[in-house]
Amino acid sequence: MEKNQMQPVDIYGNQFKRAGFVLVLLLGTFLTIINQTLLVTALPKIMGDLDINAIDAQWLITSFMLISGIMIPTTAFLLNTITNRTLFFIAMGSFAVGTVICALSTTFTTLLIGRIIQAMGSGLMIPLMQTLMFMVYPVERRGEAMGLVGVVIAFSPAIAPTVSGWIVDSFDWRYLFYILLPIVGINILLAFFYMKNIIKLTKPKLDVFSLILSSLGLGLLLYGISIAGNVGWQNMTSWISCIIGVVVVILFTHRQLKLAQPFLEVKVFKSRTFTLSTIIVAIIFMTMIASEILLPIYTQTIKEFSALQSGLILLPGALVLGVISPIAGKLIDKHGIKKIATIGMLILTIASLPFVFLTKETATWWIVSLYSLRMLGMGLVMIPLATVGINALPNELISHGSAINNTVRQVFASLGSAIMVGVMSATVIKYNNNFDGTSALLKGLNYGFMSAFLLIVVAFILCFFIKSTNYLKETD
């Protein structure tokens, strides 16, 4: 292959070094994604320092997920309106400002504002990175490229509890943000040299009503799910918010099908491969995020481990996920998705079942081994399937596919936490009169992990409907 075919080019036809471009994208995405779960183990310290209750503290995580989810669909429009270089600086700039506010916060209000500004940058950054990675790699190497993305998307939230546990056990919780600032600064500096414009702008007309419907529908849906996750599904506000949110999302979808220049091209769901892979990946991701909430509850409450010890239990699994993701990407480039996904889902299903039967006496090494095995299965399935799904779309729809893929994953992540924590809480209430508090909580955790296992079984079944062909461009 000739050199000019090997190296990507910018919109002016000039070649540039892919390695620096990719490094800037992945580092920026790592910084934004790690914040999704960075505060999970730090909330008790923040509650004590700022004198807030658990429900208020939970909004520091909920607001981040909520705003990120609202921002993600706008990237498809923005990538065709603003140069990708400018959009990158807007995303990282917003994240940097939010991080500074969080680091300097002395009240709950300022900390919450900082988290919201951070989330605006994060919501733009994730689909931006995914779209650009697809554009700078040839079709036959996109599995390898998305393997690198998998290291970031899956590894970041997995390692965050370990980092957070160490920091809050040893230092002030504000150091969670202090340590991010120099890395953010370095990444922005590198972007001045390596970030290039590679997407030709089409300047679509903004349909303001679509923007309103998208933001309102997703906002209400995520808000309702978040309330359910915090106080339970018996709350009528959560149901009303979710129902109205779903109705508005349906109206938004109907409008997109009628527009000549849709705000978000929902016709990507005509691709069977894209639709199936998006659903399967979202289910797997929701069980991963929910398990990373349930497992620390088990280790810190039932096993009475510290935040750091709890995080260290998750660390080997995070490392396994980080190692297997790029390997899995290369495997699908060579062998296709069917075989790799089936093996990965089988491993994931088998490794998930024992969590249903956790007891107070379950050995720590057994938990670490099972969790690592789960991460191995996820690494073989999650990013490879996402790659094949988006690769089934023509290049002009990749930005829309990335935005939709990430939006669905964000909604499912919130839904997974709400469902599994809700199942756990409902079970604890049910058994509280018959058992002591610890036994009731353990029963709740078992049922929470059972719901995760059942969802994984559903994803496994759906995997058999994925086409074995890897890089087919569907036109139907």
Side-chain angles (χ1 to χ4, degrees), residues 272-313:
R272 180 170 173 264
T273 301
F274 174 82
T275 303
L276 273 174
S277 65
T278 298
I279 293 171
I280 295 168
V281 169
I283 292 174
I284 295 171
F285 192 72
M286 73 190 285
T287 63
M288 185 184 81
I289 295 297
S291 296
E292 287 167 1
I293 294 173
L294 294 181
L295 203 52
I297 293 174
Y298 168 78
T299 54
Q300 291 181 51
T301 306
I302 305 298
K303 304 287 281 187
E304 298 181 345
F305 292 157
S306 69
L308 176 57
Q309 289 172 322
S310 179
L312 287 172
I313 288 175

Short mmCIF file of all heavy atoms in Angstrom, two decimals, residues 272-313:
data_model
loop_
_atom_site.label_atom_id
_atom_site.label_comp_id
_atom_site.label_asym_id
_atom_site.label_seq_id
_atom_site.Cartn_x
_atom_site.Cartn_y
_atom_site.Cartn_z
N ARG A 272 -29.53 -3.52 10.52
CA ARG A 272 -29.77 -4.57 11.51
C ARG A 272 -28.54 -4.78 12.40
O ARG A 272 -28.66 -4.95 13.63
CB ARG A 272 -30.12 -5.86 10.77
CG ARG A 272 -30.40 -7.07 11.65
CD ARG A 272 -30.97 -8.19 10.76
NE ARG A 272 -31.11 -9.43 11.49
CZ ARG A 272 -30.21 -10.40 11.49
NH1 ARG A 272 -29.07 -10.23 10.82
NH2 ARG A 272 -30.41 -11.52 12.16
N THR A 273 -27.37 -4.74 11.79
CA THR A 273 -26.14 -4.94 12.54
C THR A 273 -25.93 -3.83 13.56
O THR A 273 -25.58 -4.08 14.71
CB THR A 273 -24.93 -5.03 11.59
OG1 THR A 273 -25.12 -6.10 10.69
CG2 THR A 273 -23.63 -5.24 12.37
N PHE A 274 -26.15 -2.59 13.13
CA PHE A 274 -25.98 -1.46 14.05
C PHE A 274 -26.97 -1.54 15.20
O PHE A 274 -26.60 -1.35 16.36
CB PHE A 274 -26.17 -0.13 13.29
CG PHE A 274 -26.16 1.07 14.19
CD1 PHE A 274 -24.96 1.63 14.61
CD2 PHE A 274 -27.35 1.64 14.65
CE1 PHE A 274 -24.94 2.73 15.46
CE2 PHE A 274 -27.33 2.74 15.50
CZ PHE A 274 -26.13 3.28 15.90
N THR A 275 -28.21 -1.83 14.90
CA THR A 275 -29.26 -1.88 15.94
C THR A 275 -28.97 -2.96 16.97
O THR A 275 -28.99 -2.71 18.18
CB THR A 275 -30.64 -2.12 15.30
OG1 THR A 275 -30.90 -1.09 14.35
CG2 THR A 275 -31.73 -2.12 16.35
N LEU A 276 -28.69 -4.18 16.51
CA LEU A 276 -28.42 -5.28 17.42
C LEU A 276 -27.18 -5.03 18.27
O LEU A 276 -27.18 -5.23 19.48
CB LEU A 276 -28.25 -6.58 16.64
CG LEU A 276 -29.52 -7.37 16.31
CD1 LEU A 276 -29.20 -8.54 15.40
CD2 LEU A 276 -30.21 -7.85 17.57
N SER A 277 -26.11 -4.58 17.62
CA SER A 277 -24.86 -4.35 18.36
C SER A 277 -25.02 -3.24 19.39
O SER A 277 -24.50 -3.34 20.50
CB SER A 277 -23.72 -4.02 17.39
OG SER A 277 -23.95 -2.79 16.73
N THR A 278 -25.77 -2.20 19.06
CA THR A 278 -25.99 -1.10 19.99
C THR A 278 -26.75 -1.57 21.23
O THR A 278 -26.40 -1.22 22.36
CB THR A 278 -26.77 0.05 19.31
OG1 THR A 278 -25.99 0.56 18.22
CG2 THR A 278 -27.06 1.17 20.28
N ILE A 279 -27.78 -2.38 21.02
CA ILE A 279 -28.57 -2.91 22.15
C ILE A 279 -27.73 -3.83 23.03
O ILE A 279 -27.74 -3.72 24.26
CB ILE A 279 -29.81 -3.65 21.63
CG1 ILE A 279 -30.78 -2.66 20.96
CG2 ILE A 279 -30.53 -4.37 22.77
CD1 ILE A 279 -31.93 -3.32 20.22
N ILE A 280 -26.98 -4.73 22.39
CA ILE A 280 -26.16 -5.69 23.16
C ILE A 280 -25.10 -4.96 23.98
O ILE A 280 -24.91 -5.23 25.17
CB ILE A 280 -25.51 -6.72 22.23
CG1 ILE A 280 -26.57 -7.58 21.56
CG2 ILE A 280 -24.53 -7.61 23.01
CD1 ILE A 280 -26.05 -8.43 20.41
N VAL A 281 -24.40 -4.02 23.33
CA VAL A 281 -23.35 -3.27 24.03
C VAL A 281 -23.93 -2.47 25.18
O VAL A 281 -23.35 -2.40 26.27
CB VAL A 281 -22.60 -2.34 23.05
CG1 VAL A 281 -21.69 -1.37 23.80
CG2 VAL A 281 -21.77 -3.16 22.07
N ALA A 282 -25.11 -1.87 24.97
CA ALA A 282 -25.75 -1.08 26.02
C ALA A 282 -26.12 -1.96 27.22
O ALA A 282 -25.93 -1.55 28.38
CB ALA A 282 -27.00 -0.39 25.47
N ILE A 283 -26.62 -3.17 26.95
CA ILE A 283 -26.97 -4.09 28.05
C ILE A 283 -25.73 -4.48 28.83
O ILE A 283 -25.71 -4.48 30.07
CB ILE A 283 -27.68 -5.34 27.51
CG1 ILE A 283 -29.07 -4.99 26.96
CG2 ILE A 283 -27.81 -6.40 28.61
CD1 ILE A 283 -29.77 -6.14 26.27
N ILE A 284 -24.66 -4.81 28.12
CA ILE A 284 -23.41 -5.20 28.79
C ILE A 284 -22.85 -4.05 29.62
O ILE A 284 -22.43 -4.23 30.76
CB ILE A 284 -22.36 -5.68 27.76
CG1 ILE A 284 -22.85 -6.95 27.06
CG2 ILE A 284 -21.02 -5.93 28.43
CD1 ILE A 284 -22.00 -7.36 25.88
N PHE A 285 -22.89 -2.85 29.05
CA PHE A 285 -22.36 -1.68 29.74
C PHE A 285 -23.16 -1.37 30.99
O PHE A 285 -22.61 -1.01 32.04
CB PHE A 285 -22.34 -0.48 28.80
CG PHE A 285 -21.54 0.69 29.31
CD1 PHE A 285 -20.16 0.63 29.34
CD2 PHE A 285 -22.17 1.85 29.75
CE1 PHE A 285 -19.41 1.71 29.80
CE2 PHE A 285 -21.43 2.93 30.22
CZ PHE A 285 -20.04 2.84 30.25
N MET A 286 -24.49 -1.53 30.92
CA MET A 286 -25.33 -1.23 32.08
C MET A 286 -25.03 -2.21 33.22
O MET A 286 -25.03 -1.82 34.39
CB MET A 286 -26.81 -1.24 31.71
CG MET A 286 -27.42 -2.59 31.46
SD MET A 286 -29.10 -2.48 30.72
CE MET A 286 -30.09 -2.00 32.14
N THR A 287 -24.75 -3.47 32.90
CA THR A 287 -24.42 -4.43 33.95
C THR A 287 -23.04 -4.17 34.52
O THR A 287 -22.79 -4.41 35.70
CB THR A 287 -24.50 -5.88 33.43
OG1 THR A 287 -23.54 -6.09 32.39
CG2 THR A 287 -25.89 -6.19 32.90
N MET A 288 -22.13 -3.64 33.68
CA MET A 288 -20.78 -3.33 34.17
C MET A 288 -20.82 -2.18 35.16
O MET A 288 -20.25 -2.26 36.25
CB MET A 288 -19.86 -2.97 33.00
CG MET A 288 -18.41 -2.75 33.44
SD MET A 288 -17.32 -2.21 32.10
CE MET A 288 -17.68 -0.44 32.05
N ILE A 289 -21.51 -1.09 34.79
CA ILE A 289 -21.58 0.08 35.67
C ILE A 289 -22.32 -0.27 36.96
O ILE A 289 -21.89 0.11 38.06
CB ILE A 289 -22.30 1.24 34.95
CG1 ILE A 289 -21.48 1.71 33.74
CG2 ILE A 289 -22.54 2.40 35.91
CD1 ILE A 289 -20.12 2.28 34.08
N ALA A 290 -23.42 -1.02 36.84
CA ALA A 290 -24.19 -1.38 38.03
C ALA A 290 -23.38 -2.29 38.96
O ALA A 290 -23.42 -2.14 40.18
CB ALA A 290 -25.49 -2.07 37.63
N SER A 291 -22.62 -3.22 38.38
CA SER A 291 -21.79 -4.12 39.20
C SER A 291 -20.70 -3.35 39.93
O SER A 291 -20.32 -3.71 41.05
CB SER A 291 -21.17 -5.20 38.31
OG SER A 291 -22.16 -6.02 37.74
N GLU A 292 -20.20 -2.28 39.30
CA GLU A 292 -19.17 -1.46 39.94
C GLU A 292 -19.74 -0.61 41.07
O GLU A 292 -18.99 0.00 41.83
CB GLU A 292 -18.46 -0.60 38.90
CG GLU A 292 -17.54 -1.41 38.00
CD GLU A 292 -17.06 -0.66 36.77
OE1 GLU A 292 -17.44 0.53 36.62
OE2 GLU A 292 -16.34 -1.26 35.97
N ILE A 293 -21.08 -0.55 41.16
CA ILE A 293 -21.74 0.08 42.30
C ILE A 293 -22.05 -0.96 43.38
O ILE A 293 -21.81 -0.73 44.57
CB ILE A 293 -23.03 0.79 41.85
CG1 ILE A 293 -22.69 1.97 40.92
CG2 ILE A 293 -23.84 1.29 43.05
CD1 ILE A 293 -23.90 2.63 40.28
N LEU A 294 -22.57 -2.12 42.95
CA LEU A 294 -22.96 -3.16 43.91
C LEU A 294 -21.76 -3.80 44.61
O LEU A 294 -21.82 -4.07 45.82
CB LEU A 294 -23.77 -4.25 43.20
CG LEU A 294 -25.14 -3.86 42.63
CD1 LEU A 294 -25.80 -5.08 41.99
CD2 LEU A 294 -26.04 -3.28 43.71
N LEU A 295 -20.69 -4.06 43.84
CA LEU A 295 -19.56 -4.77 44.43
C LEU A 295 -18.88 -3.98 45.55
O LEU A 295 -18.57 -4.56 46.61
CB LEU A 295 -18.56 -5.15 43.34
CG LEU A 295 -17.62 -6.32 43.66
CD1 LEU A 295 -18.39 -7.54 44.13
CD2 LEU A 295 -16.77 -6.66 42.43
N PRO A 296 -18.64 -2.66 45.40
CA PRO A 296 -18.10 -1.90 46.54
C PRO A 296 -19.03 -1.89 47.76
O PRO A 296 -18.55 -1.86 48.90
CB PRO A 296 -17.92 -0.49 45.96
CG PRO A 296 -17.73 -0.71 44.51
CD PRO A 296 -18.64 -1.86 44.17
N ILE A 297 -20.35 -1.90 47.53
CA ILE A 297 -21.28 -1.98 48.66
C ILE A 297 -21.06 -3.30 49.41
O ILE A 297 -21.01 -3.34 50.64
CB ILE A 297 -22.75 -1.88 48.17
CG1 ILE A 297 -23.02 -0.49 47.61
CG2 ILE A 297 -23.72 -2.19 49.32
CD1 ILE A 297 -24.40 -0.34 46.98
N TYR A 298 -20.89 -4.37 48.64
CA TYR A 298 -20.64 -5.69 49.24
C TYR A 298 -19.32 -5.70 50.01
O TYR A 298 -19.26 -6.12 51.18
CB TYR A 298 -20.64 -6.76 48.15
CG TYR A 298 -20.10 -8.10 48.62
CD1 TYR A 298 -20.89 -8.96 49.39
CD2 TYR A 298 -18.80 -8.49 48.32
CE1 TYR A 298 -20.39 -10.18 49.83
CE2 TYR A 298 -18.30 -9.71 48.75
CZ TYR A 298 -19.09 -10.55 49.51
OH TYR A 298 -18.59 -11.75 49.95
N THR A 299 -18.24 -5.25 49.38
CA THR A 299 -16.92 -5.35 50.00
C THR A 299 -16.77 -4.40 51.20
O THR A 299 -16.13 -4.75 52.20
CB THR A 299 -15.81 -5.05 48.98
OG1 THR A 299 -16.05 -3.79 48.35
CG2 THR A 299 -15.74 -6.14 47.92
N GLN A 300 -17.40 -3.21 51.13
CA GLN A 300 -17.23 -2.25 52.22
C GLN A 300 -18.24 -2.49 53.37
O GLN A 300 -17.92 -2.22 54.53
CB GLN A 300 -17.40 -0.82 51.68
CG GLN A 300 -16.25 -0.39 50.77
CD GLN A 300 -16.41 1.03 50.26
OE1 GLN A 300 -16.64 1.95 51.04
NE2 GLN A 300 -16.28 1.22 48.96
N THR A 301 -19.42 -2.99 53.04
CA THR A 301 -20.45 -3.19 54.08
C THR A 301 -20.44 -4.61 54.63
O THR A 301 -20.44 -4.81 55.85
CB THR A 301 -21.84 -2.86 53.52
OG1 THR A 301 -21.83 -1.55 52.96
CG2 THR A 301 -22.89 -2.91 54.62
N ILE A 302 -20.42 -5.58 53.75
CA ILE A 302 -20.47 -6.98 54.19
C ILE A 302 -19.08 -7.47 54.63
O ILE A 302 -18.93 -8.06 55.70
CB ILE A 302 -21.01 -7.89 53.07
CG1 ILE A 302 -22.38 -7.40 52.58
CG2 ILE A 302 -21.08 -9.34 53.55
CD1 ILE A 302 -23.46 -7.41 53.61
N LYS A 303 -18.05 -7.17 53.81
CA LYS A 303 -16.69 -7.64 54.13
C LYS A 303 -15.93 -6.64 55.01
O LYS A 303 -14.84 -6.95 55.50
CB LYS A 303 -15.91 -7.88 52.83
CG LYS A 303 -16.57 -8.85 51.87
CD LYS A 303 -16.49 -10.28 52.34
CE LYS A 303 -15.13 -10.89 52.06
NZ LYS A 303 -15.10 -12.35 52.38
N GLU A 304 -16.48 -5.41 55.15
CA GLU A 304 -15.90 -4.36 56.00
C GLU A 304 -14.50 -3.95 55.55
O GLU A 304 -13.60 -3.72 56.35
CB GLU A 304 -15.89 -4.81 57.47
CG GLU A 304 -17.28 -5.07 58.02
CD GLU A 304 -17.26 -5.50 59.49
OE1 GLU A 304 -16.19 -5.86 59.99
OE2 GLU A 304 -18.33 -5.46 60.11
N PHE A 305 -14.31 -3.85 54.23
CA PHE A 305 -13.05 -3.36 53.68
C PHE A 305 -13.08 -1.83 53.60
O PHE A 305 -14.15 -1.22 53.57
CB PHE A 305 -12.80 -3.93 52.28
CG PHE A 305 -12.54 -5.41 52.26
CD1 PHE A 305 -12.76 -6.14 51.11
CD2 PHE A 305 -12.06 -6.07 53.38
CE1 PHE A 305 -12.50 -7.51 51.07
CE2 PHE A 305 -11.81 -7.44 53.37
CZ PHE A 305 -12.04 -8.16 52.21
N SER A 306 -11.90 -1.22 53.52
CA SER A 306 -11.80 0.22 53.33
C SER A 306 -12.09 0.56 51.87
O SER A 306 -12.17 -0.34 51.01
CB SER A 306 -10.40 0.72 53.70
OG SER A 306 -9.45 0.25 52.76
N ALA A 307 -12.23 1.86 51.58
CA ALA A 307 -12.47 2.29 50.20
C ALA A 307 -11.32 1.87 49.29
O ALA A 307 -11.53 1.44 48.15
CB ALA A 307 -12.66 3.81 50.16
N LEU A 308 -10.09 2.00 49.79
CA LEU A 308 -8.92 1.61 48.99
C LEU A 308 -8.90 0.11 48.74
O LEU A 308 -8.68 -0.34 47.61
CB LEU A 308 -7.63 2.04 49.70
CG LEU A 308 -6.32 1.61 49.02
CD1 LEU A 308 -6.25 2.14 47.60
CD2 LEU A 308 -5.12 2.09 49.83
N GLN A 309 -9.15 -0.68 49.78
CA GLN A 309 -9.17 -2.14 49.62
C GLN A 309 -10.26 -2.56 48.64
O GLN A 309 -10.07 -3.46 47.81
CB GLN A 309 -9.40 -2.81 50.98
CG GLN A 309 -8.22 -2.72 51.93
CD GLN A 309 -8.57 -3.23 53.32
OE1 GLN A 309 -9.68 -3.01 53.82
NE2 GLN A 309 -7.62 -3.92 53.95
N SER A 310 -11.40 -1.89 48.73
CA SER A 310 -12.51 -2.17 47.83
C SER A 310 -12.12 -1.88 46.39
O SER A 310 -12.41 -2.66 45.47
CB SER A 310 -13.73 -1.34 48.23
OG SER A 310 -14.80 -1.57 47.35
N GLY A 311 -11.44 -0.76 46.19
CA GLY A 311 -10.99 -0.40 44.85
C GLY A 311 -9.96 -1.36 44.31
O GLY A 311 -9.96 -1.69 43.11
N LEU A 312 -9.07 -1.83 45.17
CA LEU A 312 -8.01 -2.76 44.74
C LEU A 312 -8.59 -4.10 44.28
O LEU A 312 -7.99 -4.77 43.44
CB LEU A 312 -7.02 -2.99 45.89
CG LEU A 312 -6.08 -1.82 46.19
CD1 LEU A 312 -5.27 -2.09 47.46
CD2 LEU A 312 -5.15 -1.54 45.01
N ILE A 313 -9.73 -4.48 44.83
CA ILE A 313 -10.38 -5.71 44.39
C ILE A 313 -10.82 -5.60 42.93
O ILE A 313 -10.81 -6.58 42.18
CB ILE A 313 -11.57 -6.04 45.31
CG1 ILE A 313 -11.05 -6.52 46.68
CG2 ILE A 313 -12.50 -7.08 44.70
CD1 ILE A 313 -12.13 -6.75 47.71
#
